[in-house]
Amino acid sequence: MRTACRIAATVLDRLCRLVAPGVNTYDLDQEGRKLLGSYDARSACFGYQVGSKRFPAYTCLSVNDEIVHGIGTLKRVLQDGDIISVDVCVEYQGFIGDNARTVAVGDIAPARQKLLTVTEEALLKGIQQARPGNRVGAISNAVERAVRPFGYGIIRDFVGHGVGRSMHEAPQIPNFGPASRGERLRPGMTLAIEPMIAEGRSQVVMADDGWTALTVDGLPAAHFEHTVLVTGGDPEILTIPDSGI
Ligand code: MF3
Ligand code: CO
């Protein structure tokens, strides 16, 4: 898990550094594929099956009002002022590392920067609750409390999750709800904590591609995710990039 997560974080970091006006999201996704290969890892997204459909890309690239699970295309050329959520989910030697971050394309409006800052802060607040004795709901509640003062929409249709040999394991980790809810956290659990926050309404609509989730009102959304280890004490973020690999 440590190695898978370190690779996931390193690839995410490198992809985010390639984000710039004029770059198209197909090329970004292809860079993700190549980087994963260079670490002997593979995308856990590519071919990921839900029902009869399989995810067709190596990373999830979601621009502006796209919340999660966007698919890179040649036609989607990043513009100054856009925001893009980059989600890298890696399989390495049978273990999964999952992380995501929303970054600015060039110069972005202050309202968008605020959305990014609040969402990342909410992730860190949630992570701080990933400790033994707490229930899953402590994470959910901390995220909700960090976001609520700003009046943003908390996405409810997608949630964080346990992660290990599979990408989506129990427990589900909603980004809202009471601290008393859910199972107790125990040392050794690895959790993907991932607030998805919209500037406007929280309702989701699905694109025709069957994967991309968009905000119903067209306002932008942000997504920050880490894979976190529950220890006997402070939580440990596993998705930290390593400049040495
Ligand atoms: N980090 C994403 C998630 O937890 C990865 C999705 S891969 C996809 O949902 F194939 F489902 F898009
Ligand atoms: Co995830």
Side-chain angles (χ1 to χ4, degrees), residues 28-145:
L28 212 48
D29 186 58
Q30 287 297 310
E31 286 302 323
R33 176 179 60 76
K34 289 179 209 162
L35 282 166
L36 289 171
S38 74
Y39 296 119
D40 293 321
R42 62 167 203 92
S43 166
C45 291
F46 185 78
Y48 182 78
Q49 197 166 359
V50 177
S52 61
K53 57 186 180 140
R54 287 181 178 274
F55 193 73
Y58 297 89
T59 62
C60 298
L61 299 170
S62 310
V63 180
N64 296 339
D65 58 332
E66 298 173 350
I67 306 162
V68 285
H69 304 163
I71 298 163
T73 65
L74 281 170
K75 277 193 284 186
R76 189 88 202 213
V77 179
L78 297 176
Q79 313 284 326
D80 189 56
D82 284 346
I83 57 173
I84 178 169
S85 304
V86 181
D87 190 335
V88 175
C89 192
V90 164
E91 192 237 282
Y92 179 78
Q93 294 186 0
F95 289 93
I96 309 280
D98 194 2
N99 68 165
R101 186 192 308 164
T102 306
V103 294
V105 182
D107 289 323
I108 59 171
R112 289 180 170 213
Q113 185 54 57
K114 180 93 189 167
L115 176 68
L116 304 196
T117 304
V118 170
T119 306
E120 185 168 24
E121 186 63 23
L123 168 60
L124 296 177
K125 288 269 168 52
I127 289 171
Q128 278 312 311
Q129 296 304 316
R131 47 183 79 246
N134 280 351
R135 294 182 183 273
V136 169
I139 300 170
S140 310
N141 191 253
V143 170
E144 182 175 15
R145 277 187 287 114

Side-chain angles (χ1 to χ4, degrees), residues 94-243:
F95 289 93
I96 309 280
D98 194 2
N99 68 165
R101 186 192 308 164
T102 306
V103 294
V105 182
D107 289 323
I108 59 171
R112 289 180 170 213
Q113 185 54 57
K114 180 93 189 167
L115 176 68
L116 304 196
T117 304
V118 170
T119 306
E120 185 168 24
E121 186 63 23
L123 168 60
L124 296 177
K125 288 269 168 52
I127 289 171
Q128 278 312 311
Q129 296 304 316
R131 47 183 79 246
N134 280 351
R135 294 182 183 273
V136 169
I139 300 170
S140 310
N141 191 253
V143 170
E144 182 175 15
R145 277 187 287 114
V147 171
R148 199 190 277 147
F150 300 92
Y152 294 143
I154 297 176
I155 305 301
R156 294 173 170 254
D157 292 23
F158 299 94
V159 295
H161 49 93
V163 56
R165 288 188 179 274
S166 303
M167 178 161 60
H168 293 141
E169 300 184 353
Q172 292 198 352
I173 310 173
N175 292 301
F176 57 91
S180 57
R181 191 175 285 171
E183 69 178 275
R184 278 196 194 282
L185 302 176
R186 299 182 307 277
M189 286 178 160
T190 45
L191 307 173
I193 302 174
E194 50 177 322
M196 290 150 270
I197 307 298
E199 194 181 321
R201 295 173 60 190
S202 62
Q203 276 86 351
V204 171
V205 288
M206 294 304 295
D208 291 338
D209 63 25
W211 286 101
T212 311
L214 302 118
T215 61
V216 69
D217 55 12
L219 288 172
H223 178 207
F224 285 79
E225 175 179 34
H226 274 305
T227 299
V228 174
L229 172 68
V230 181
T231 76
D234 289 340
E236 184 180 344
I237 299 175
L238 297 184
T239 39
I240 301 288
D242 181 356
S243 51

